[in-house]
Amino acid sequence: MATDTISACTGSNLLQPISEIINLPLDQVNFVACQLCALFSAFCFRLYLHPSKTSPFVRHVVATLLGFYFALFCFGWYSLHFLVQSGITYGIMILAGVEHMHKYCLVFALAYLGFCQITRVYVFDYGMYSADFTGPMMVITQKITSMAFEIHDGMARKEDQLNQGQKLLAIRRMPSLLEYFSYNCNFMGILAGPTCSYNDYIAFIEGKPCRHREQESNGRLQGKTRLNDPSPNMEVIRKLATCFFSLLVFLSVCKVFPVERNIDDDFIATTPFYAQVVYLYLSMLTTRPKYYFVWTLADAINNAAGFGFNGYDSDGVPRWDLISNLRIMNIELATSFKVFLDNWNIQTAHWLKRVCYERCPYNPTAATFILSAMWHGAYPGYYLTFLTGIVVTLAARAVRHNVRPYFLGSPAHKQIYDVITWASTQIAICYTVVPFVLLSVGPSLKFYRSWYFSVHIGCVLLAIALPVKPRHLRLKEQHSLISTRTASSDSQKPKTT
């Protein structure tokens, strides 16, 4: 297996002997090795290049150079695409003006990413589903477009035109070239992200309190001293333990429940439908730990560098989830499609919301799923997954708005509702993402045909039978209600003379 993928690896061959010994593709070995080196570098970065000991310039330079080195080690000359994409979009930001550059950056960044994804899939190796250079480009695309919209919000729009989140994220000055490349290509996030806001990253580099950090004048909460710079060591250890367990589960269980068996002719013909449903759930469940491993390790690297502190919880315990990409228990126990998506690939969900959903005037749900499919890549299975996701989301929203209120009368009814919606959500998620794993149109449609497109049909019927008011009308009603309450409270205030 390892020797078959030598030609597919464009990075360094230094670790080829290790790849052959453990029988894993060289590109994956390079990726994990660089992430472990990044983890060690992150500890050193926090200890020896702390903001109290050195300047932001030095921190920017070191973070950027290390990022470029890790990219070169993993992807070789393909990592030049990171510089090209970032460099051209920075030129667009400078030359196009703040009024329209966010649109141009979005179009170019997605087009360049799409070009690289198409050439990788259809020119070089269609079946290669491993560590490749377009993965980091996906994160860089998020950062480029997020920054472009945040600059537009901060420098081209009036304050009263922004919602609360946009006000927090708005960038009030054009970043320097060094700041721009440091944000896009720093060693902590160059290989696996996660995406973060530019303001949070700059606050981390400069050693300033992040926007989420609560400030206490006396420095104490419930008798516990609040540190301005709490140690992330215990959180990093916890996340590394999660990584180890996730990797162990993936390596030991994934091959027991291959997803491809869901479309095996003998399996479909001889297995009762209820058993097919159970197997579908188990096979898709075992594909998640690899994402848990990659994203949790990336989060741990950022935390080790001191990035990701998000204030304190109600017990005074430091929170290190500012840029976390998932919440595993919330995913596995999700009782709605929305809850699952809100806790899976969190930073990408934030990006889609801020760049598309909040700004699209018509049918933002469909637009967001289409953008997500375009961003993910050129495999047809991605588009089948996200098109299915549109229908499932609309149906889930309709059920929640129309059916859920009837189960809130008692705790027992609520528990029954939660059990039913958990099972429905897990089945719907598994059904939806099968094409995402199978990648191709033929196998994906074969799976859907074996289920008689039942989830598609059921969701369409639910969305039609249980209509939900359009989003702009719901927002209008909310604004009217808030205005009415405000006017009522003002009228009840005693007048002073």
Side-chain angles (χ1 to χ4, degrees):
M1 178 179 177
T3 56
D4 293 339
T5 58
I6 296 176
S7 60
C9 180
T10 58
S12 172
N13 292 325
L14 180 65
L15 302 179
Q16 181 61 42
I18 297 177
S19 172
E20 294 174 353
I21 292 173
I22 63 178
N23 197 31
L24 283 177
L26 179 58
D27 56 349
Q28 294 182 12
V29 174
N30 285 348
F31 173 83
V32 174
C34 282
Q35 286 294 76
L36 293 178
C37 289
L39 180 65
F40 175 76
S41 301
F43 280 113
C44 296
F45 191 79
R46 180 171 61 88
L47 294 175
Y48 301 110
L49 294 179
H50 193 272
S52 63
K53 299 179 181 179
T54 189
S55 66
F57 175 81
V58 173
R59 284 167 63 83
H60 277 305
V61 170
V62 172
T64 306
L65 292 180
L66 277 176
F68 286 148
Y69 175 76
F70 290 147
L72 282 170
F73 190 90
C74 280
F75 308 112
W77 70 268
Y78 281 103
S79 58
L80 293 177
H81 286 293
F82 308 164
L83 295 177
V84 173
Q85 186 188 35
S86 298
I88 293 178
T89 48
Y90 187 76
I92 293 174
M93 291 180 186
I94 298 297
L95 300 176
V98 295
E99 287 290 341
H100 303 290
M101 60 89 181
H102 59 298
K103 301 175 185 176
Y104 301 148
C105 284
L106 177 65
V107 171
F108 174 80
L110 283 175
Y112 193 86
L113 173 65
F115 168 77
C116 292
Q117 289 171 330
I118 290 172
T119 55
R120 184 187 70 82
V121 171
Y122 295 105
V123 176
F124 296 112
D125 188 351
Y126 182 89
M128 184 176 66
Y129 192 68
S130 185
D132 71 274
F133 73 98
T134 61
M137 285 188 67
M138 294 168 69
V139 178
I140 293 174
T141 298
Q142 289 182 341
K143 291 183 176 182
I144 289 170
T145 53
S146 294
M147 177 185 285
F149 277 88
E150 289 161 9
I151 292 174
H152 172 72
D153 290 340
M155 300 178 65
R157 299 177 68 190
K158 296 180 180 179
E159 194 76 8
D160 57 3
Q161 295 176 321
L162 307 177
N163 61 36
Q164 191 59 36
Q166 291 167 348
K167 291 177 183 178
L168 285 171
L169 299 175
I171 300 172
R172 308 296 178 179
R173 67 169 181 85
M174 187 65 67
S176 69
L177 186 62
L178 176 60
E179 291 171 332
Y180 179 78
F181 275 109
S182 176
Y183 171 62
N184 284 335
C185 302
N186 64 81
F187 75 94
M188 300 171 294
I190 184 68
L191 298 182
T195 299
C196 61
S197 79
Y198 174 79
N199 285 342
D200 284 336
Y201 179 74
I202 292 300
F204 154 72
I205 289 291
E206 296 178 353
K208 297 178 181 178
C210 70
R211 60 187 169 86
H212 297 279
R213 190 179 302 180
E214 300 172 356
Q215 298 297 310
E216 293 277 327
S217 58
N218 59 5
R220 293 179 179 273
L221 176 67
Q222 298 179 354
K224 296 184 179 181
T225 301
R226 287 195 164 205
L227 302 177
N228 291 327
D229 189 17
S231 172
N233 292 343
M234 292 306 299
E235 185 68 13
V236 172
I237 292 173
R238 185 188 68 81
K239 289 178 179 178
L240 290 179
T242 302
C243 290
F244 176 78
F245 180 75
S246 299
L247 185 62
L248 186 65
V249 171
F250 176 72
L251 294 177
S252 60
V253 180
C254 183
K255 294 182 179 180
V256 179
F257 300 100
V259 177
E260 291 75 14
R261 195 181 178 200
N262 287 287
I263 57 173
D264 180 75
D265 291 330
D266 292 337
F267 176 78
I268 295 172
T270 60
T271 307
F273 184 71
Y274 73 88
Q276 293 184 38
V277 173
V278 173
Y279 184 85
L280 173 66
Y281 171 70
L282 293 175
S283 62
M284 300 308 299
L285 178 66
T286 57
T287 63
R288 294 175 200 159
K290 66 180 178 182
Y291 297 100
Y292 296 163
F293 168 77
V294 172
W295 288 338
T296 305
L297 179 57
D299 196 15
I301 292 169
N302 282 272
N303 292 167
F307 188 29
F309 177 54
N310 196 20
Y312 295 83
D313 63 17
S314 58
D315 296 323
V317 178
R319 294 170 52 198
W320 288 91
D321 59 353
L322 178 63
I323 55 173
S324 295
N325 228 359
L326 51 81
R327 303 183 188 96
I328 296 176
M329 292 307 298
N330 290 356
I331 290 170
E332 301 301 340
L333 300 178
T335 57
S336 73
F337 205 75
K338 181 181 184 301
V339 171
F340 187 99
L341 296 180
D342 286 346
N343 292 281
W344 173 270
N345 205 353
I346 296 171
Q347 301 307 319
T348 294
H350 288 337
W351 171 69
L352 290 168
K353 178 182 177 182
R354 294 164 183 166
V355 170
C356 183
Y357 189 83
E358 291 182 342
R359 302 174 191 267
C360 185
Y362 301 104
N363 210 338
T365 299
T368 301
F369 274 104
I370 292 172
L371 174 60
S372 183
M374 294 172 60
W375 173 78
H376 271 89
Y379 288 109
Y382 295 162
Y383 290 85
L384 287 175
T385 286
F386 290 109
L387 289 175
T388 303
I390 296 173
V391 180
V392 175
T393 298
L394 295 176
R397 185 179 299 163
V399 170
R400 181 175 179 83
H401 280 263
N402 291 275
V403 177
R404 186 172 180 268
Y406 294 102
F407 288 85
L408 300 180
S410 69
H413 291 169
K414 179 63 166 56
Q415 288 181 352
I416 294 173
Y417 176 84
D418 288 342
V419 171
I420 294 174
T421 52
W422 173 83
S424 302
T425 297
Q426 297 302 322
I427 293 172
I429 287 289
C430 295
Y431 178 92
T432 301
V433 301
V434 164
F436 194 95
V437 179
L438 296 178
L439 301 178
S440 301
V441 173
S444 301
L445 292 180
K446 181 179 181 180
F447 168 76
Y448 282 152
R449 282 196 298 268
S450 71
W451 279 56
Y452 302 101
F453 292 90
S454 55
V455 175
H456 286 88
I457 296 171
C459 288
V460 169
L461 293 177
L462 285 172
I464 294 174
L466 304 173
V468 178
K469 290 183 180 179
R471 178 172 173 265
H472 68 279
L473 293 180
R474 298 199 308 271
L475 291 176
K476 186 176 180 180
E477 289 181 356
Q478 291 176 5
H479 290 315
S480 300
L481 182 60
I482 293 173
S483 300
T484 302
R485 289 178 177 175
T486 303
S488 176
S489 61
D490 290 341
S491 64
Q492 293 176 3
K493 291 181 180 179
K495 296 182 179 180
T496 58
T497 57

